[in-house]
Amino acid sequence: MERIRYQDLPKGMFDHLMGIEDFINTSTLDTKLLELLRLLVSQKNGCAYCVDMHHKLLKHEGETELRLASLCVWEETPYFTDKERAVLKFTETLTELQRAPIPDEIFDTLTNFFSKEEISYLTLAISQINTWTRLMKTFKFTPGNFKIPQHEQVQN
């Protein structure tokens, strides 16, 4: 049972959050890469609603079952590129935030693949999905109900 329904949220709350999503999604970052980091954060934070959503979005983007099933153990698999691995490591580090700054080795690995602007977008994307997972865990939106928006459906 949902604790707080969508209709009970402060007016404009999700609209403002979606504005940030739109800002991130119009960056030069690959949509599939963004969805991978979103799914990983959702798994790390135990957000069933978000796992459902980002799994479905990745399937829609053509992601394979093998990579989806292996994302939670990505470090032990050969299925992810060095670029993806750099992002996934950064994602885990920023999600499981410690008192110390992000280690230089993790940041420096990102610079092999991304500009400072793109690293800024990645940081915002990871922060944003962490915000979403915390909201969903508090509100207890029901998992399994997410549907890909019609304008994103593949036309046959």
Side-chain angles (χ1 to χ4, degrees):
M1 166 100 40
E2 294 178 353
R3 290 180 181 148
I4 300 176
R5 296 174 306 153
Y6 181 79
Q7 307 86 285
D8 299 326
L9 296 172
K11 186 172 175 59
M13 180 178 172
F14 273 18
D15 294 335
H16 290 293
L17 290 168
M18 288 308 298
I20 296 169
E21 289 296 319
D22 292 342
F23 178 72
I24 294 166
N25 291 336
T26 58
S27 73
T28 58
L29 296 174
D30 178 63
T31 302
K32 203 173 192 180
L33 184 64
L34 286 169
E35 287 304 323
L36 274 177
L37 75 81
R38 289 170 177 148
L39 179 56
L40 183 61
V41 170
S42 301
Q43 292 171 338
K44 291 284 181 189
N45 288 336
C47 179
Y49 183 87
C50 298
V51 167
D52 172 56
M53 173 188 288
H54 297 293
H55 183 273
K56 287 174 180 172
L57 289 168
L58 277 162
K59 286 290 291 181
H60 180 72
E61 290 289 324
E63 189 54 80
T64 67
E65 281 297 329
L66 179 62
R67 283 172 39 105
L68 285 168
S70 302
L71 184 59
C72 62
V73 292
W74 66 268
E75 287 182 291
E76 301 173 33
T77 69
Y79 316 129
F80 299 94
T81 67
D82 289 342
K83 182 178 182 177
E84 290 168 332
R85 295 171 94 64
V87 169
L88 295 173
K89 184 65 174 176
F90 182 54
T91 298
E92 286 186 342
T93 303
L94 195 53
T95 297
E96 300 164 356
L97 201 54
Q98 306 297 314
R99 292 180 61 90
I102 301 298
D104 288 340
E105 67 185 45
I106 292 172
F107 184 86
D108 292 345
T109 302
L110 289 172
T111 64
N112 294 325
F113 305 102
F114 301 99
S115 68
K116 289 180 181 179
E117 180 178 294
E118 290 171 322
I119 294 170
S120 298
Y121 276 112
L122 283 170
T123 305
L124 182 59
I126 296 164
S127 300
Q128 180 75 349
I129 187 59
N130 272 288
T131 295
W132 282 113
T133 60
R134 282 150 176 80
L135 291 171
M136 294 304 101
K137 288 188 71 78
T138 300
F139 303 162
K140 289 182 74 173
F141 279 19
T142 306
N145 293 333
F146 177 79
K147 303 231 183 310
I148 305 280
Q150 287 293 44
H151 68 277
E152 294 182 26
Q153 292 288 344
V154 176
Q155 300 298 317
N156 291 330

